[in-house]
Amino acid sequence: MIALVRRPAPSRLWTVLTPPLAVLATMVAGGLMFAALGKDPVLAIRTIFWDPLFGEFAFYYRGQLLVKAAPLILIAIGLSLGFRAGIWNIGAEGQYILGAITGGAVGLAFYPLDSWIVFPLMVVAGAFGGFLWAMIPALLKVKFRTNEILVSLLLVYVAEQLLAYMALGPLKNPEGQGFPGSRNLSQYDAAANNELIAGSGMHWGVVAAFIAVIAAYVLLNRHLTGYHIRLTGQAPRAARFAGVNPNLLTIFCLGTSGALAGLAGLFEVAGPAGQISIDFNVGYGFTAIIVAFLGRLHPVGILLAGLLMALTYIGGEAAQSQLGLPAAAIQAFQGMLLFFLLAVDMLTNYRLRFGRAQVA
Amino acid sequence: MSGAADLLRIEGLTKAFPGVVANDDVSFAVPAGRIHALLGENGAGKSTLVKMIYGLVAPDKGRMQLHGRDFAPTSPHEARSSGVAMVFQHFSLFDALDVAENVALGMETPPSQRQLARRIREVSEAYGLPLDPTRLVGELSAGERQRVEIVRCLLQDPQLLIMDEPTSVLTPQEVEILFSTLRKLAAEGTAILYISHKLEEIRALCDSATILRQGQVVATCTPSEKSARELAELMVGATLHTPSREPQEGGEVVLRIHDLSMRSANPFGTALKDIDFELRAGEVLGIGGVAGNGQDELLAALSGEARVAAEAVTLKGRPVGQMGPTARRALGLLAAPEERLGHAAAPDMSLTENAVLTGTVREGLTRHGFLDWGKARGFAEQVIERFDVRTPGPGQAARSLSGGNLQKFVIGREILQRPEVLVVNQPTWGVDASAAAAIRQALLDLAANGTAVVVISQDLDELMEISDRFAALNEGRLAAPRPAKGLGIEEIGLMMGGAHDLDTAARAAE
């Protein structure tokens, strides 16, 4: 018989140990799934985890790693603040889209002005767009006690419609021969979010992601607001007793995560994606939720988790093209990662007891 | 002590947790039909011991026997099926369900609701614990809730009944009813293991007692042959001093509550109705009342967790009713709620972090919004040292402390901030005798230094010991405070309004 016994205090060892263990379990279970699909499991796992970092074409993949990880980290850092306080922003994807639209629109409005001021204005506008979109669930929650999970999630679909309208209408490239999508921002120098060092993958979004990691760390560990966030998540009644205003905290957490998601959208649309198109978004806003939890809602953990998740994306794509694995298998593989992480997480607060308790 | 007649026999039971030996070679026996007390300070190992008997914790070493057979339950389920039942200090009832539904939830194979309701009526009447199976638990008083728990146990026909601090939520009259029930059960052959730190009760009720100190049995005695002081000193291992104080000259009025009415945030809570009182510097106002009569709400209205009309609460002439907890703290109105874990302290946070919980404004623990952890740690260490909080250090999580130690920390945290007015709810609930005495003394010292203190408590002895004036909360109304000196305990019990169903209960108990 196996029994779960609650630990008197969360185990520090297991807090650190569970993510690698979950990755390992994912490799085993994923390998079995790949084998069942008739692929060589070792080769598949190698293609996903090893080749992008150390294989023949690693010089290309490593840059891609940063490009993919940056928006995930940026969004996940914002989400983690709310998640720590029990405020669940599930609609980062929508805020990400809005940031891309507002930031991109500012850039397009200045076209073809060549001034250094254009890009900073786009950054501000992108953050503000995400912030405003997040204020909808925030204010509805504060005023009418609506559930922020539902409101923020449903607003994603509204944002997608808005994006389609913008890409086909107001923001469409007038010189685009009728093709949908805006002008290519990455070819408009004053607005482009290009690589800072050629071939490195390092763009302003990566810089912003690193700054966000550090800022979130300082906020949570050194600032009263961060303390109030943690307190609210752990003991809401104690937080009210301490004087935390739950409404202000809701607005702060949703606003910050919205602004960071908007920033990520702007950096994406001005750089790697290049233009506002119907489907430039690829679900970073949702994947970031996984990244936030994979990183245990800790800034440094999120940094590592974002890189790991980006790796499975890049490796997954490579496995699709090189081994002919179906895209669904890669998604299932990523799902396993979250599943195992949550399952193994039990060990932090509980320990396993095997066999019957003996009274000697 | 003949082995054959002992219902429960414990030999050499040992249980160690990382860092502490909770029980060290504990042996005792409880014969059938006897009421046996388990006495000890908080952290003496009483809880661990009964958890082992109830199958919640497995012992490291030692042997338990029930009816002369080896007994090693691995779960409460197994313990229950062997005839062991337990009434916990904290009730596990659902407010939104009725009595019968709550009882059914704890059963392996519940009978139909009709049958169950009949059984509940039979059992509750047979033992003098009147209980209506169709009432919602949310509407019951604490005493009635306890009856639900007891009846739930009695339906299993237990041979051993464990009661953990059962009287802390009862009025004196309700305590008498409980005692006659327990005596009746014992007369029918049930063995009862009674955990308490209220020495007078143990002397009145129990046939024998095992006294634990730091995990070891220090004495076994017949409580009626010892004085309460002797028992307390055995328990603590030192001589006790009762709190003392100089009589106070009333200072200026610092806190005025006027026409305070407030709805409860909790759907089963009690609304406050037209509460009026004044409090002078250096005065201790004791507020009694049976649990659930508005105590939590009153504390929330005073601490600032609940906003009320601005003029309803005035602090030194300044209306503060609309202010939140932080602003009130800045002005000197501090509070310590009843629930230690989750309200007064965050369970998983360290003591340093918990010092920040209320200490930021008055102790200056932040600069431009950034926390000064060094200073916070210093403050936590100061609380730990001044109030003798037994813990390895301020880095420990709050939930790792025993109830009494955490309570000392929580009260000490407020006292060290030199409040103008301090409001405490149940300051010594579930706290052992020596820690309780220390907390009361600290409150009296605080009053002697000019702080006005409001003590909300259900422990009448405590209120009589430290209050200058006494008032009772009953269904959200506060009776006009009366000087505490000269009030008899009987009279107070009636002031508390705990008498509503006592007549029927007393008759049924006979």
Side-chain angles (χ1 to χ4, degrees):
Chain A
M1 194 181 87
I2 303 174
L4 284 170
V5 183
R6 194 172 162 83
R7 294 177 191 276
S11 158
R12 271 172 202 271
L13 176 70
W14 280 104
T15 309
V16 177
L17 224 54
T18 47
L21 196 66
V23 172
L24 203 69
T26 311
M27 285 187 185
V28 173
L32 288 173
M33 177 179 72
F34 296 143
L37 288 167
K39 310 290 175 189
D40 177 356
V42 178
L43 182 64
I45 298 290
R46 215 189 83 156
T47 310
I48 295 172
F49 284 110
W50 182 263
D51 286 354
L53 290 176
F54 309 107
E56 199 182 338
F57 299 104
F59 63 90
Y60 167 74
Y61 286 130
R62 284 181 201 157
Q64 280 300 300
L65 199 61
L66 288 182
V67 168
K68 293 235 188 279
L72 288 176
I73 294 168
L74 202 52
I75 300 169
I77 288 284
L79 294 181
S80 70
L81 298 180
F83 292 174
R84 282 250 182 146
I87 296 163
W88 306 99
N89 178 5
I90 306 298
E93 183 77 3
Q95 296 136 24
Y96 172 82
I97 291 172
L98 256 286
I101 294 176
T102 53
V106 166
L108 293 169
F110 282 108
Y111 182 84
L113 176 73
D114 188 20
S115 163
W116 63 269
I117 195 76
V118 176
F119 189 66
L121 281 177
M122 289 167 66
V123 170
V124 172
F128 192 61
F131 173 82
L132 281 184
W133 206 244
M135 275 306 106
I136 301 174
L139 293 177
L140 287 176
K141 184 182 171 76
V142 168
K143 283 276 163 220
F144 302 109
R145 302 278 127 214
T146 57
N147 183 318
E148 78 278 14
I149 299 177
L150 286 175
V151 177
S152 64
L153 176 64
L154 292 177
L155 280 171
V156 172
Y157 306 106
V158 178
E160 282 176 348
Q161 295 301 317
L162 190 66
L163 174 67
Y165 168 72
M166 287 293 172
L168 297 172
L171 298 182
K172 195 166 82 170
N173 184 358
E175 294 157 22
Q177 277 112 28
F179 281 100
S182 71
R183 283 182 200 279
N184 197 319
L185 287 165
S186 61
Q187 286 164 13
Y188 166 29
D189 281 338
N193 172 30
N194 286 330
E195 285 179 328
L196 299 171
I197 305 162
S200 65
M202 188 76 157
H203 61 69
W204 282 112
V206 180
V207 177
F210 280 118
I211 293 174
V213 168
I214 295 164
Y217 185 86
V218 172
L219 177 77
L220 286 171
N221 291 292
R222 300 265 162 226
H223 199 273
L224 189 62
T225 305
Y227 171 78
H228 282 164
I229 287 174
R230 289 189 290 132
L231 187 61
T232 304
Q234 292 186 15
R237 240 184 128 193
R240 217 155 310 141
F241 174 59
V244 178
N245 180 335
N247 289 344
L248 275 182
L249 199 74
T250 301
I251 288 174
F252 175 83
C253 288
L254 282 170
T256 309
S257 57
L260 289 180
L263 267 185
L266 175 270
F267 288 128
E268 186 71 13
V269 86
Q275 62 173 166
I276 296 169
S277 59
I278 297 179
D279 52 0
F280 89 94
N281 60 314
V282 287
Y284 282 140
F286 291 116
T287 311
I289 298 170
I290 304 180
V291 170
F293 279 104
L294 194 61
R296 321 204 137 276
L297 306 181
H298 186 283
V300 177
I302 288 170
L303 177 68
L304 298 174
L307 290 168
L308 177 71
M309 194 52 85
L311 184 64
T312 66
Y313 263 110
I314 293 163
E317 271 168 33
Q320 279 178 52
S321 61
Q322 289 167 28
L323 307 175
L325 274 170
I330 300 299
Q331 282 166 13
F333 186 74
Q334 288 169 345
M336 282 178 189
L337 191 57
L338 183 66
F339 170 80
F340 280 115
L341 188 90
L342 293 176
V344 180
D345 202 27
M346 294 285 289
L347 295 172
T348 313
N349 280 309
Y350 295 83
R351 68 193 165 75
L352 294 175
R353 191 178 62 187
F354 296 96
R356 289 175 60 84
Q358 293 296 313
V359 181
Chain B
M1 284 202 184
S2 66
D6 288 338
L7 186 111
L8 174 75
R9 218 183 153 72
I10 281 172
E11 280 169 19
L13 220 53
T14 299
K15 176 73 192 178
F17 292 112
V20 272
V21 180
N23 283 150
D24 186 5
D25 196 20
V26 172
S27 306
F28 68 92
V30 188
R34 300 289 285 275
I35 304 178
H36 187 90
L38 213 50
L39 248 180
E41 283 200 281
N42 275 357
K46 296 170 306 207
S47 303
T48 308
L49 187 56
V50 294
K51 278 181 185 163
M52 289 193 280
I53 301 171
Y54 198 55
L56 283 163
V57 172
D60 297 335
K61 261 199 320 212
R63 205 153 78 106
M64 292 188 276
Q65 282 188 322
L66 199 66
H67 289 304
R69 282 190 301 274
D70 276 345
F71 174 62
T74 55
S75 68
H77 171 74
E78 211 177 313
R80 277 197 298 271
S81 53
S82 312
V84 179
M86 178 157 173
V87 176
F88 288 90
Q89 193 176 1
H90 297 271
F91 305 145
S92 49
L93 298 172
F94 293 93
D95 282 351
L97 298 180
D98 71 27
V99 170
E101 285 165 335
N102 264 293
V103 171
L105 278 179
M107 300 178 105
E108 314 293 342
T109 48
S112 77
Q113 284 290 311
R114 272 245 310 277
Q115 258 181 312
L116 186 62
R118 215 186 57 227
R119 287 276 292 139
I120 290 173
R121 273 211 186 85
E122 281 169 15
V123 170
S124 65
E125 273 161 29
Y127 291 98
L129 301 168
L131 203 56
D132 179 354
T134 60
R135 276 184 70 194
L136 280 188
V137 164
E139 296 165 358
L140 301 183
S141 72
E144 289 170 310
R145 283 170 203 231
Q146 187 182 53
R147 286 180 201 167
V148 180
E149 293 275 10
I150 296 173
V151 166
R152 178 193 266 177
C153 288
L154 296 185
L155 286 173
Q156 310 164 24
D157 289 325
Q159 284 145 337
L160 174 67
L161 179 63
I162 305 171
M163 307 278 306
D164 190 1
E165 303 263 356
T167 59
S168 45
V169 293
L170 303 182
T171 60
Q173 287 86 350
E174 286 174 316
V175 169
E176 267 316 307
I177 297 172
L178 174 71
F179 281 7
S180 57
T181 303
L182 294 181
R183 287 195 190 102
K184 188 161 183 179
L185 274 170
E188 289 172 5
T190 309
I192 294 166
L193 196 54
Y194 187 91
I195 301 167
S196 180
H197 63 265
K198 292 194 183 164
L199 305 163
E200 287 300 343
E201 288 178 1
I202 284 178
R203 291 186 61 238
L205 180 72
C206 301
D207 305 308
S208 54
T210 295
I211 301 172
L212 290 175
R213 193 195 311 149
Q214 289 171 356
Q216 291 174 321
V217 175
V218 290
T220 304
C221 63
T222 305
S224 53
E225 291 168 1
K226 300 260 183 206
S227 74
R229 175 168 284 269
E230 282 171 317
L231 288 175
E233 286 174 0
L234 277 172
M235 197 163 101
V236 180
T239 41
L240 269 181
H241 54 93
T242 34
S244 62
R245 68 181 304 201
E246 302 297 309
Q248 286 296 306
E249 280 293 304
E252 50 163 344
V253 173
V254 282
L255 183 72
R256 176 174 287 132
I257 306 298
H258 181 63
D259 273 349
L260 170 64
S261 296
M262 183 189 92
R263 254 192 294 169
S264 175
N266 174 350
F268 292 106
T270 309
L272 298 179
K273 295 163 199 119
D274 307 324
I275 289 181
D276 264 290
F277 66 85
E278 279 181 358
L279 192 62
R280 293 175 182 279
E283 185 187 33
V284 180
L285 173 67
I287 296 184
V290 180
N293 273 296
Q295 285 92 338
D296 285 350
E297 289 77 8
L298 182 59
L299 184 112
L302 294 178
S303 73
E305 287 163 270
R307 309 287 162 92
V308 293
E311 301 288 338
V313 182
T314 42
L315 184 68
K316 291 173 141 182
R318 191 166 168 176
V320 300
Q322 281 289 310
M323 290 182 183
T326 312
R328 292 194 197 186
R329 261 177 215 130
L331 294 174
L333 174 52
L334 271 57
E338 168 183 5
E339 190 68 41
R340 295 182 277 264
L341 286 175
H343 194 182
D348 288 321
M349 284 191 167
S350 70
L351 294 179
T352 302
E353 288 174 297
N354 273 301
V356 174
L357 195 93
T358 65
T360 39
V361 216
R362 289 182 82 78
E363 292 297 309
L365 301 181
T366 54
R367 267 179 43 202
H368 309 301
F370 285 92
L371 286 159
D372 186 341
W373 284 118
K375 214 166 167 186
R377 194 186 161 87
F379 177 49
E381 274 166 354
Q382 213 183 331
V383 176
I384 290 168
E385 198 200 306
R386 287 275 302 280
F387 290 86
D388 188 28
V389 179
R390 314 244 168 96
T391 174
Q396 293 294 305
R399 76 167 185 206
S400 71
L401 268 66
S402 70
N405 276 314
L406 186 57
Q407 188 69 24
K408 284 194 275 187
F409 182 83
V410 165
I411 302 266
R413 180 181 68 187
E414 307 307 326
I415 288 179
L416 279 192
Q417 295 182 48
R418 304 164 309 278
E420 302 275 346
V421 178
L422 178 65
V423 186
V424 293
N425 188 5
Q426 297 274 64
T428 61
W429 192 71
V431 170
D432 61 79
S434 66
I439 289 171
R440 286 175 201 147
Q441 185 64 59
L443 291 173
L444 289 179
D445 292 346
L446 188 70
N449 284 325
T451 299
V453 181
V454 179
V455 180
I456 305 170
S457 176
Q458 281 142 48
D459 185 337
L460 291 178
D461 298 334
E462 166 171 285
L463 289 177
M464 287 306 99
E465 192 175 302
I466 65 175
S467 310
D468 296 311
R469 287 188 301 152
F470 174 86
L473 257 182
N474 187 14
E475 293 184 357
R477 290 176 205 282
L478 190 73
R482 291 164 63 173
K485 213 166 213 168
L487 276 182
I489 203 119
E490 219 35 45
E491 204 177 345
I492 293 165
L494 293 172
M495 268 173 86
M496 282 161 53
H500 40 275
D501 57 358
L502 289 169
D503 289 343
T504 42
R507 241 179 285 130
E510 276 159 16

